[in-house]
Amino acid sequence: MATLNNNLSEYDKASIPNAKDFRFGIVVSEWNDNITEGLYKGAYETLIEHNVLPENITRWNVPGSFELIYGSKKMQQQNVDAVIAIGSVIQGETKHFDFVCEGVSQGIKDLNILHDVPVIFCVLTDNNEQQGIERSGGIHGNKGTEAAVAAIKMAVISKL
């Protein structure tokens, strides 16, 4: 397990560029909101910590993780420098999990290929709810924090 000995919220804060001049969009799935709200909190607080003005952070909710693709595409058109797509898909008894995970990952990949505004993949694909809780502010830190750091770095690259 990649996060077994890592805390997703630990990073060298001094190495992150000042993000005060950037605008970010965050698209959040309402499905599994006990997990996605924690991810959002981690992303939002990290952006604020790196000097992003609250008014330069736009949040949109979408019903589920599959809808993150369309929501992120529309967010790319909102004069933002990067988009963070936040979702949580938990393994169930059917193949639905596989189809949603594959569709969302490919859809977000396609947005990054087709458009100039980077979309950060912050979709947990866990075997159970506890794994999601542990990665959205629990013992493994917060994948939302990691996604915000990636968004800042990618916003800088997009300006090159």
Side-chain angles (χ1 to χ4, degrees), residues 114-131:
L114 296 172
H115 305 286
D116 290 330
V117 176
V119 179
I120 307 305
F121 186 85
C122 182
V123 179
L124 298 184
T125 56
D126 297 310
N127 292 319
N128 56 59
E129 183 179 18
Q130 187 60 39
Q131 287 179 339

Side-chain angles (χ1 to χ4, degrees), residues 79-121:
N79 191 31
V80 296
D81 297 296
V83 176
I84 302 170
I86 293 178
S88 169
V89 185
I90 298 173
Q91 178 71 55
E93 296 179 5
T94 68
K95 295 183 72 63
H96 181 75
F97 173 86
D98 299 322
F99 296 126
V100 172
C101 293
E102 179 72 19
V104 174
S105 62
Q106 292 300 319
I108 290 175
K109 179 264 302 173
D110 290 345
L111 293 175
N112 280 304
I113 290 172
L114 296 172
H115 305 286
D116 290 330
V117 176
V119 179
I120 307 305
F121 186 85

Side-chain angles (χ1 to χ4, degrees), residues 24-30 58-80 82-87 103-104 107-108 111-112 115 117-120 123:
F24 295 91
I26 305 177
V27 183
V28 183
S29 169
E30 295 172 335
T58 301
R59 176 186 172 149
W60 289 353
N61 289 351
V62 295
S65 289
F66 204 81
E67 291 77 23
L68 288 169
I69 303 162
Y70 185 78
S72 294
K73 179 179 86 167
K74 297 302 279 185
M75 184 66 83
Q76 286 178 311
Q77 301 166 5
Q78 299 301 307
N79 191 31
V80 296
V83 176
I84 302 170
I86 293 178
V104 174
I108 290 175
L111 293 175
N112 280 304
H115 305 286
V117 176
V119 179
I120 307 305
V123 179

Side-chain angles (χ1 to χ4, degrees), residues 11-72:
Y11 63 98
D12 178 11
K13 292 176 172 64
S15 70
I16 307 305
N18 187 326
K20 69 177 176 63
D21 295 327
F22 292 115
R23 295 176 42 83
F24 295 91
I26 305 177
V27 183
V28 183
S29 169
E30 295 172 335
W31 194 258
N32 295 323
D33 66 345
N34 60 321
I35 294 168
T36 60
E37 287 302 318
L39 295 169
Y40 171 77
K41 180 180 179 195
Y44 181 85
E45 289 175 355
T46 301
L47 293 173
I48 295 297
E49 184 174 359
H50 291 285
N51 302 313
V52 178
L53 299 172
E55 59 267 24
N56 287 341
I57 301 171
T58 301
R59 176 186 172 149
W60 289 353
N61 289 351
V62 295
S65 289
F66 204 81
E67 291 77 23
L68 288 169
I69 303 162
Y70 185 78
S72 294

